Amino acid sequence: MEIIISDHINYISEEIALLVSQTLPEGRPEGFIQCREFLERQFGSSPVLERFQAVDSILKEAGRTFKKDAGIIEKYFHPYPDSVLYLADAVLLFQKWDCNERADTLEAYVRRQTPSERNYRFCMMNIENFSDYSGQSADSVTLADVSTWLDQSPLSPNDKWEIFSAFVKWEEHLEIIIRLMKKAEAVLEKTKALWQPLVTGFHQYWQEQCAHRDVIGDIVQKFHIDLRTDSQRPVFLAPNVININSFGCSLPDPKYPCPWDYYSIGILYGKALDLDFDMQLKDGRQLYTCLQFLKLLSDKSKLEIMASITKQPAYGAQLARQMNLTTATISYHMNALIMEGLVCVHRDSKRLYYSVNKDTVKKMLHYLEVLLL
């Protein structure tokens, strides 16, 4: 299977990440501070920490740039409670963007969509990672379907109405969103000297890895995500800069073909880091992993999801119906569970099925037993 390693960022993805980060505590992506503190304890002073310093400087520049826009950014890019959704999603519709596209091409794309296409994409309502909507055709989706979808979501009545209104009157909101994204793009251009070496290092590292090992096979083994198919599409591997320690993937929508399967990987890679496939856990990292395990399962929704897929694998839309959650919320929880190795993913035809990684759960329970009993 051919692997294409990106030597540049996905501007739209990074712009959105910058804007979302401005709505979060301390203006940092979720997990950024915790991850940095953990690596400082593990490695002390290390060249790896320079990546955090670079991203921190980019986020500080964004904070200065958007100081007067805080209210409007909060309105459009702050996730709703217990959800990964934010208001701008109802306008932008969860599209997986080509790495060469910018805010202006995003605007052109949205304006070209027909009403039926917008309805179709809204009903998909899923983050780009692990999209598995069962697939109504665009022609069969109506505003009534969109309304029904929102009625079934766990959002508050005010939030539902806000999203529906933004979807119907999207042109009134698009200009504001694009203006914010263009300012985010200006931040990225201004700080290019900081993030470009990180992207160059990403490209060199993964080129070398691909030359000497089965990287896709290693991803299956490490993250328990198996998206291999009989397709001749190559895999496109791209860096996340703002979301420094994230891992995600997306499949081409059958209705909107893409020439590749797409993986995005944070810029924390190399010896002793999470994306080093030869890493051996030490006691300190085991303890950290165990704490993450307990933290995740202290969340009621995550625990219920794990219980639901213990005996029978399920796909996202199926779980959403069972648990009365949106597929976006299911994907949000799944992403966290997958990152800690608690859930496995495998592809069957056009769907992604989730199941409990019982080996990892048993290891965590055994470690707790040794630690506490």
Side-chain angles (χ1 to χ4, degrees):
M1 180 179 290
E2 181 186 1
I3 302 178
I4 302 171
I5 310 296
S6 175
D7 61 358
H8 54 283
I9 62 170
N10 182 324
Y11 268 85
I12 288 177
S13 175
E14 300 291 352
E15 289 159 21
I16 290 176
L18 269 180
L19 290 162
V20 171
S21 72
Q22 297 306 298
T23 73
L24 301 175
E26 300 189 48
R28 303 296 181 269
E30 212 169 313
F32 178 94
I33 295 172
Q34 182 184 20
C35 185
R36 178 173 58 185
E37 290 176 348
F38 169 71
L39 291 177
E40 285 174 346
R41 289 196 303 269
Q42 285 289 303
F43 305 111
S45 108
S46 165
V48 167
L49 296 175
E50 294 176 5
R51 299 178 211 174
F52 281 95
Q53 294 165 6
V55 176
D56 210 32
S57 296
I58 297 168
L59 292 168
K60 286 179 181 176
E61 179 62 34
R64 290 189 289 269
T65 300
F66 290 118
K67 192 171 184 179
K68 295 182 179 179
D69 297 301
I72 198 70
I73 292 175
E74 183 77 13
K75 174 181 178 179
Y76 283 104
F77 289 94
H78 190 275
Y80 290 106
D82 301 319
S83 175
V84 73
L85 296 174
Y86 44 88
L87 184 59
D89 287 327
V91 178
L92 304 179
L93 300 179
F94 297 100
Q95 173 65 22
K96 179 176 72 63
W97 308 106
D98 184 276
C99 280
N100 293 309
E101 290 181 316
R102 307 289 183 101
D104 55 349
T105 54
L106 167 63
E107 181 177 15
Y109 166 80
V110 175
R111 291 195 184 281
R112 282 199 306 269
Q113 291 186 85
T114 65
S116 62
E117 286 174 329
R118 290 190 57 74
N119 290 353
Y120 172 78
R121 285 209 168 275
F122 189 84
C123 275
M124 285 180 69
M125 225 27 167
N126 204 340
I127 58 174
E128 69 177 48
N129 295 342
F130 315 111
S131 178
D132 62 8
Y133 185 72
S134 55
Q136 285 177 276
S137 68
D139 295 335
S140 69
V141 180
T142 66
L143 280 176
D145 295 321
V146 174
S147 180
T148 299
W149 184 92
L150 279 170
D151 285 342
Q152 294 172 349
S153 79
L155 298 169
S156 72
N158 286 340
D159 291 341
K160 291 177 184 178
W161 177 245
E162 184 179 56
I163 290 175
F164 187 78
S165 299
F167 170 71
V168 174
K169 300 179 180 180
W170 58 273
E171 286 197 86
E172 295 179 13
H173 303 273
L174 181 61
E175 184 177 344
I176 299 170
I177 293 169
I178 295 299
R179 177 181 66 80
L180 292 172
M181 292 183 68
K182 286 182 176 178
K183 288 185 75 171
E185 187 174 305
V187 171
L188 292 173
E189 290 300 329
K190 186 175 181 179
T191 58
K192 192 169 186 176
L194 294 171
W195 57 258
Q196 186 59 59
L198 305 179
V199 176
T200 300
F202 172 97
H203 182 262
Q204 293 172 345
Y205 176 83
W206 288 107
Q207 287 277 56
E208 182 178 344
Q209 292 292 309
C210 289
H212 296 98
R213 64 197 311 154
D214 175 15
V215 167
I216 299 302
D218 286 337
I219 287 174
V220 174
Q221 183 177 0
K222 174 76 178 174
F223 292 98
H224 309 284
I225 299 173
D226 192 352
L227 301 180
R228 292 173 296 188
T229 68
D230 295 331
S231 166
Q232 297 303 307
R233 286 191 307 267
V235 167
F236 188 80
L237 204 61
N240 291 324
V241 174
I242 305 305
N243 292 320
I244 192 169
N245 63 331
S246 63
F247 178 90
C249 60
S250 60
L251 302 174
D253 183 336
K255 184 173 178 60
Y256 300 89
C258 178
W260 51 63
D261 288 343
Y262 175 87
Y263 294 80
S264 55
I265 297 183
I267 54 173
L268 295 184
Y269 48 80
K271 291 184 178 179
L273 294 180
D274 286 348
L275 287 175
D276 177 5
F277 298 118
D278 292 328
M279 180 189 70
Q280 296 295 318
L281 292 182
K282 298 180 180 179
D283 288 343
R285 187 173 287 270
Q286 282 182 328
L287 181 59
Y288 171 80
T289 304
C290 204
L291 287 170
Q292 289 297 101
F293 171 73
L294 294 173
K295 179 181 176 181
L296 287 171
L297 296 191
S298 68
D299 180 279
K300 180 175 178 289
S301 295
K302 291 181 177 65
L303 184 59
E304 289 178 344
I305 287 171
M306 291 280 286
S308 296
I309 58 175
T310 296
K311 295 181 180 179
Q312 183 69 38
Y315 58 93
Q318 181 182 8
L319 279 170
R321 288 192 296 270
Q322 291 173 359
M323 303 182 66
N324 196 29
L325 297 171
T326 65
T327 50
T329 300
I330 292 291
S331 292
Y332 169 75
H333 290 305
M334 282 299 184
N335 203 31
L337 294 168
I338 289 165
M339 284 296 291
E340 296 302 323
L342 301 179
V343 168
C344 301
V345 183
H346 75 274
R347 184 175 180 175
D348 182 4
S349 184
K350 296 177 182 178
R351 286 177 175 159
L352 297 177
Y353 282 83
Y354 306 110
S355 59
V356 170
N357 185 347
K358 294 183 180 180
D359 288 341
T360 298
V361 173
K362 288 177 182 176
K363 287 177 183 177
M364 291 297 101
L365 293 176
H366 174 71
Y367 184 75
L368 281 171
E369 185 178 14
V370 171
L371 184 67
L372 300 176
L373 299 179

